[in-house]
Amino acid sequence: FNSNWNFEKHVYQFKIPESKSVVIKNAIEKIGFEEKPKDKISLIYHTTPWRGLVHLLKIFKNLNLKNVELNVCSSTKIYGKKFDAALGKTYEGIFNECKNTKNVNYFGFLDNKKVVELLKKMHIFAHPSIWPETSCISAIESMAAGCETVTTNLGALYETCSPFGTFVNFDRDLINLEKRYSKTLVNSIKNYWSDENQNKLRLQRETINATYSWNLRSIEWKNFFNEARELKV
């Protein structure tokens, strides 16, 4: 399982035997740090549309903040041509709204290397998640790149992003969720350049790059395979 939350839910729901289970978290390539631009605050949403894009765009439009832009890297193409052909039209409306909204840059699908380069210039990963993530590589990469992460505590997001993430309690009443997230996002934007927050972000990127790197995770996988081989023998 890629998180303890994921493991616990499977054990509870399906009575998976603990003795045959292991948690090995996701991993990323280390991301080098670049100084963030200071002329504006750049938000980024770089995950699939059904995880909260509709709500983020609504929140962003209502806030109408000066010197704040939203960059959207979201598409159904990430899961292949067949998936895109089957579901792509479902999200055309929200993608077109992104394209036609002031201060929103819509990139659609980008190769991961391009996303990582973009993250180095971004300030805040804005992710009002309504999807129970089992982990969240988008959040991990954002934190490794030095971005403030403003998200909900749904699913494994709290486990993945703690203690550095800024969390909004998930609310099934999505109107309430939007109100709470809006206030939290504004506070994060205002507080971004404070000394305390910059110190936190410095510690965050150092910690995430160390604990989620393939340098560490590869050792865990090798140990797992060695143990599995011994059990088989």
Side-chain angles (χ1 to χ4, degrees):
F1 299 91
N2 60 352
S3 66
N4 290 291
W5 179 88
N6 194 10
F7 160 67
E8 289 168 3
K9 291 298 180 184
H10 275 78
V11 169
Y12 177 79
Q13 186 69 34
F14 303 110
K15 305 300 183 283
I16 301 295
E18 293 92 334
S19 62
K20 295 185 179 180
S21 303
V22 65
V23 175
I24 301 179
K25 295 189 176 183
N26 283 320
I28 61 167
E29 298 292 341
K30 289 185 177 182
I31 298 176
F33 178 70
E34 295 181 6
E35 291 293 332
K36 308 288 186 181
K38 294 191 175 182
D39 58 330
K40 60 186 174 184
I41 293 291
S42 296
L43 315 178
I44 187 168
Y45 178 98
H46 59 112
T47 184
T48 51
W50 54 83
R51 285 171 162 84
L53 179 56
V54 169
H55 306 288
L56 176 60
L57 190 59
K58 180 180 175 183
I59 291 165
F60 183 77
K61 290 170 74 172
N62 287 339
L63 289 176
N64 192 28
L65 298 170
K66 293 182 179 179
N67 296 322
V68 179
E69 68 174 17
L70 171 62
N71 300 277
V72 178
C73 307
S74 188
S75 172
T76 54
K77 293 179 181 178
I78 190 170
Y79 292 125
K81 292 181 179 179
K82 288 184 178 180
F83 188 92
D84 182 49
L87 287 178
K89 290 184 179 180
T90 305
Y91 300 99
E92 278 185 355
I94 186 65
F95 294 152
N96 287 330
E97 190 176 351
C98 288
K99 295 173 185 176
N100 295 306
T101 298
K102 180 183 176 183
N103 294 330
V104 175
N105 303 312
Y106 178 71
F107 294 94
F109 172 77
L110 286 181
D111 179 80
N112 180 253
K113 290 182 179 179
K114 292 182 179 179
V115 172
V116 169
E117 288 305 309
L118 191 59
L119 284 174
K120 293 177 182 179
K121 302 176 179 66
M122 299 293 105
H123 301 84
I124 297 174
F125 173 40
H127 186 32
S129 180
I130 59 171
W131 185 267
E133 304 272 10
T134 60
S135 178
C136 187
I137 292 179
S138 295
I140 295 168
E141 289 183 331
S142 297
M143 291 190 293
C147 299
E148 176 84 11
T149 295
V150 183
T151 188
T152 66
N153 59 356
L154 182 62
L157 281 168
Y158 185 80
E159 176 184 342
T160 302
C161 301
S162 289
F164 303 106
T166 300
F167 299 100
V168 175
N169 286 335
F170 178 73
D171 194 325
R172 288 184 176 85
D173 184 328
L174 297 177
I175 300 299
N176 285 342
L177 179 63
E178 289 171 359
K179 289 178 181 177
R180 290 179 179 177
Y181 189 88
S182 181
K183 290 180 180 178
T184 303
L185 182 60
V186 168
N187 287 336
S188 290
I189 291 170
K190 290 180 178 178
N191 187 55
Y192 182 83
W193 288 112
S194 69
D195 291 341
E196 292 81 0
N197 195 54
Q198 289 302 303
N199 289 334
K200 182 196 78 169
L201 292 177
R202 189 178 303 110
L203 180 60
Q204 168 192 289
R205 64 177 186 264
E206 291 172 356
T207 303
I208 297 300
N209 273 300
T211 57
Y212 279 96
S213 76
W214 275 111
N215 293 347
L216 177 66
R217 201 68 72 242
S218 62
I219 297 172
E220 295 179 12
W221 276 105
K222 288 175 183 175
N223 290 339
F224 167 71
F225 287 131
N226 289 334
E227 184 177 346
R229 190 181 297 115
E230 289 172 4
L231 289 173
K232 187 176 181 180
V233 173

